[in-house]
């Protein structure tokens, strides 16, 4: 009777240890993925900020008139960039 209880407890311990090890392995994998995605997000934000600055440099003199098709396209692009800037912050 005692050996049965000890065997059951021992088996339960081994199963619990395996469950903990497996869960920890999956958690570490998920943490690595989160770190990778965070770095990609920071990289994207930096590229957007660079784009904001480049757009301002291009139109610093107001050379694109909204009267023609190019000016309208440029204004539309500029508006979208400003929306993104509102989301990601000014540089």
């Amino acid at each position: 009777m005692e050996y049965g209880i000890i065997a059951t407890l021992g088996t339960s311990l081994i199963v619990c240890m395996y469950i903990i090890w497996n869960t920890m392995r999956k958690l570490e994998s998920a943490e690595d993925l989160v770190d990778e995605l965070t770095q990609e997000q920071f990289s994207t934000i930096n590229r957007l900020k660079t784009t904001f600055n480049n757009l301002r440099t291009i139109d610093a003199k107001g050379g694109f008139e909204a009267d023609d098709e190019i000016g309208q396209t440029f204004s539309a692009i500029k508006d979208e960039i400003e929306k993104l800037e509102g989301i990601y912050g000014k540089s």
Side-chain angles (χ1 to χ4, degrees):
M1 178 75 158
E2 291 176 5
Y3 292 115
I5 293 172
I6 292 173
T8 302
L9 290 175
T11 303
S12 297
L13 178 64
I14 291 171
V15 168
C16 287
M17 287 173 57
Y18 172 75
I19 291 170
I20 291 170
W21 172 78
N22 192 34
T23 303
M24 199 162 89
R25 186 176 55 88
K26 289 177 182 178
L27 178 63
E28 288 173 353
S29 176
E31 287 174 343
D32 291 343
L33 181 60
V34 167
D35 289 341
E36 186 178 317
L37 292 174
T38 301
Q39 290 300 321
E40 183 64 30
Q41 186 178 20
F42 284 136
S43 174
T44 300
I45 289 170
N46 288 333
R47 282 182 281 183
L48 284 170
K49 288 180 179 183
T50 301
T51 302
F52 302 152
N53 292 332
N54 289 343
L55 188 61
R56 283 193 189 99
T57 302
I58 290 170
D59 196 39
K61 297 179 183 177
F64 292 100
E65 296 294 326
D67 299 344
D68 60 358
E69 187 175 330
I70 294 174
Q72 290 174 351
T73 302
F74 185 81
S75 293
I77 292 170
K78 187 175 179 180
D79 291 341
E80 292 301 314
I81 294 290
E82 287 173 356
K83 287 178 190 175
L84 289 173
E85 187 176 39
I87 295 170
Y88 292 107
K90 294 184 179 187
S91 55

